[in-house]
């Protein structure tokens, strides 16, 4: 999910940021809980609707942090099946993801945060062909300040079904 395809919130956008030199790692700096970014993505036709999906965020520390601090995210989704009278404005389902940074605390250190998206959620079950509206924001910035998102991936499990 290239960051260029995400929409940064008009009122509370994350800041465009960089780390390093030649090559420069580029991304969005989330350093407040009200900063939002969203994307719409289609669930591939080969998905069996029998296992959780994951939203994977590659996070880069924006400054040195303390050992054992956590990177906390909230992801809100709406799953819409085109043609089934489902609304993109329906109630969302919230998921959270946390990663302990351990001793990897230097400015520029990379960390992966995986957020599981439940396939059989009562409000937003996820099916092949669904349009997923996904919005991310930091849950807590008290102990760990700015985090730059450099990469986002939607991991979709496949079995023996045809994929696109």
């Amino acid at each position: 999910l290239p960051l260029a395809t995400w929409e940064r919130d008009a009122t509370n956008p994350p800041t465009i940021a960089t780390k390093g030199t030649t090559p420069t790692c580029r991304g969005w700096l989330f350093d407040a809980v009200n900063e939002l970014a969203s994307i719409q993505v289609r669930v591939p036709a080969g998905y069996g609707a029998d296992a959780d999906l994951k939203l994977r965020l590659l996070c880069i520390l924006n400054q040195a942090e303390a050992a054992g601090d956590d990177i906390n995210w909230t992801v809100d989704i709406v799953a819409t099946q085109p043609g089934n009278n489902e609304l993109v404005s329906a109630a969302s389902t919230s998921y959270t993801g946390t990663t302990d940074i351990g001793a990897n605390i230097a400015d520029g250190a990379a960390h992966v945060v995986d957020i599981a998206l439940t396939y059989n959620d009562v409000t937003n079950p996820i099916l092949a062909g669904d349009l997923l509206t996904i919005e991310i924001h930091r849950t807590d910035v008290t102990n760990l300040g700015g985090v730059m998102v450099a990469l986002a991936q939607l991991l979709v499990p496949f079995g023996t079904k045809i994929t696109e």
Side-chain angles (χ1 to χ4, degrees):
L1 307 173
L3 292 182
T5 62
W6 289 68
E7 291 290 329
R8 294 182 307 135
D9 187 71
T11 305
N12 298 303
T15 307
I16 295 172
T18 62
K19 280 288 174 191
T21 59
T22 314
T24 302
C25 181
R26 300 177 188 280
W28 293 342
L29 177 63
F30 287 83
D31 56 3
V33 295
N34 61 345
E35 295 173 330
L36 306 170
S38 62
I39 190 171
Q40 288 74 42
V41 62
R42 188 169 168 269
V43 177
Y47 171 61
D50 55 0
D52 294 347
L53 285 69
K54 285 183 190 173
L55 179 65
R56 176 169 287 167
L57 302 176
L58 176 62
C59 301
I60 310 295
L61 299 183
N62 192 50
Q63 63 278 320
E65 296 289 350
D69 281 350
D70 294 334
I71 303 172
N72 300 298
W73 289 95
T74 296
V75 175
D76 297 311
I77 73 156
V78 173
T80 306
Q81 185 67 220
N84 283 358
N85 202 29
E86 295 178 337
L87 306 174
V88 295
S89 58
S92 64
T93 299
S94 287
Y95 300 97
T96 57
T98 300
T99 292
D100 182 320
I101 66 170
N104 190 13
I105 62 172
D107 181 10
H111 296 273
V112 172
V113 181
D114 284 337
I115 301 107
L117 309 178
T118 308
Y119 74 96
N120 60 352
D121 179 75
V122 173
T123 305
N124 286 287
I126 301 172
L127 303 170
D130 273 359
L131 172 68
L132 289 185
T133 300
I134 302 170
E135 182 177 78
I136 62 172
H137 67 274
R138 294 281 304 283
T139 306
D140 182 10
V141 295
T142 305
N143 292 322
L144 193 143
V147 171
M148 185 179 84
V149 174
L151 175 73
Q153 295 175 294
L154 182 65
L155 305 178
V156 181
F158 288 102
T160 57
K161 298 184 170 51
I162 296 172
T163 60
E164 39 181 71

